[in-house]
Amino acid sequence: MQLEILTPEHKVFSGSVYGVQLPGVEGSFEILQNHAPMVAALGEGKMKILKDKNSNETYNITGGFVETLNNKTTVLLEGAESVSY
């Protein structure tokens, strides 16, 4: 699945991934390969980019929108800050 994550200031991520976990306004959800087309509003919380089944990147986000269509997911965010563990 192709994933592109953008803020007004810069491109946060662009590439092929296993999936992405997002904080929706009504609860968290996950988008994987072959997900049905959708558009959803995002709230504040943690976004996790699942690069493969064993590695991921986590960001604190401040809201935005996500669209998925034909195995391409685009996330438009107000802001994103990388979380290090």
Side-chain angles (χ1 to χ4, degrees), residues 5 7 11 17 24 39 41-43 57 61 68 74 79:
I5 302 171
T7 68
K11 185 182 293 186
V17 297
V39 174
L42 303 174
E57 284 182 25
I61 66 169
T68 188
T74 304

Side-chain angles (χ1 to χ4, degrees), residues 47-67:
M47 171 183 69
K48 190 181 284 188
I49 300 168
L50 309 169
K51 293 187 169 185
D52 56 42
K53 291 185 179 184
N54 300 314
S55 66
N56 61 66
E57 284 182 25
T58 303
Y59 292 83
N60 285 325
I61 66 169
T62 56
F65 291 91
V66 59
E67 176 191 45

Side-chain angles (χ1 to χ4, degrees), residues 7-47:
T7 68
E9 292 81 32
H10 68 289
K11 185 182 293 186
V12 175
F13 182 89
S14 182
S16 184
V17 297
Y18 174 72
V20 61
Q21 295 175 347
L22 298 159
V25 292
E26 295 185 15
S28 295
F29 61 94
E30 185 171 77
I31 298 173
L32 301 174
Q33 184 84 6
N34 297 319
H35 195 286
M38 72 168 220
V39 174
L42 303 174
E44 272 189 47
K46 293 199 183 312
M47 171 183 69

